[in-house]
Amino acid sequence: MKYSIDKKEQYVIFTPMEEKLDSLLAPKLKSELLTIHAEGFSNLVLDLSQVKYVDSSGLSALLVGDREFGADGIFIISGVQDHVMKLLKISMLDKKLNLVNTLEEAGEAIFIHEIENGEDSEETVEDED
């Protein structure tokens, strides 16, 4: 599986450089996502701008990413192509997953998520006093 990884301060952008995310590539994607999370990153943007086809195995990999990163951070999918979006809508995953159109929107969503989590932490500290 060909891909690029761009590690930012607050998050990682993972871009599969493949047209298909199917049963041949999905296990590798799951493995890479779990590895990035194990490295200590809690926010990930999955850039699907190159991906034109996803099957059920690919959808499963997206759910693994959402579960892993959603536990202590945020998992965002960016650049979803029309055919892939149709499948996400049919499977109703467009309601569950964090979908944005551009990497800029993904960065903004992570920034907002970080601010909201920071406020939650401060409120917890204040409640303890």
Side-chain angles (χ1 to χ4, degrees):
M1 174 179 190
K2 291 181 255 171
Y3 59 87
S4 70
I5 297 179
D6 184 8
K7 295 179 179 177
K8 308 276 188 189
E9 188 175 328
Q10 297 291 328
Y11 59 97
V12 174
I13 299 173
F14 186 94
T15 307
M17 307 299 247
E18 303 280 353
E19 287 195 0
K20 292 182 178 181
L21 185 51
D22 54 16
S23 58
L24 297 174
L25 297 178
K28 179 69 174 163
L29 176 58
K30 288 179 188 178
S31 173
E32 292 298 330
L33 294 176
L34 294 173
T35 300
I36 292 167
H37 191 257
E39 289 174 358
F41 291 96
S42 57
N43 301 318
L44 186 126
V45 177
L46 181 61
D47 178 8
L48 293 184
S49 59
Q50 306 294 315
V51 178
K52 296 179 179 175
Y53 172 81
V54 175
D55 69 2
S56 60
S57 299
L59 293 178
S60 172
L62 300 182
L63 289 170
V64 166
D66 187 59
R67 184 184 71 230
E68 277 300 304
F69 288 91
D72 59 351
I74 188 168
F75 180 74
I76 298 176
I77 301 172
S78 172
V80 179
Q81 302 285 325
D82 289 342
H83 180 74
V84 176
M85 184 59 83
K86 285 178 187 172
L87 183 61
L88 290 173
K89 286 181 178 180
I90 288 169
S91 60
M92 297 184 68
L93 290 176
D94 62 321
K95 307 277 190 260
K96 171 156 181 38
L97 300 170
N98 294 308
L99 304 173
V100 297
N101 293 322
T102 65
L103 292 175
E104 291 78 20
E105 288 178 44
E108 290 171 11
I110 289 171
F111 181 70
I112 291 168
H113 176 79
E114 290 290 312
I115 289 172
E116 288 173 352
N117 279 359
E119 288 175 3
D120 289 347
S121 299
E122 290 171 15
E123 288 172 11
T124 304
V125 171
E126 288 171 10
D127 290 343
E128 292 174 359
D129 290 339

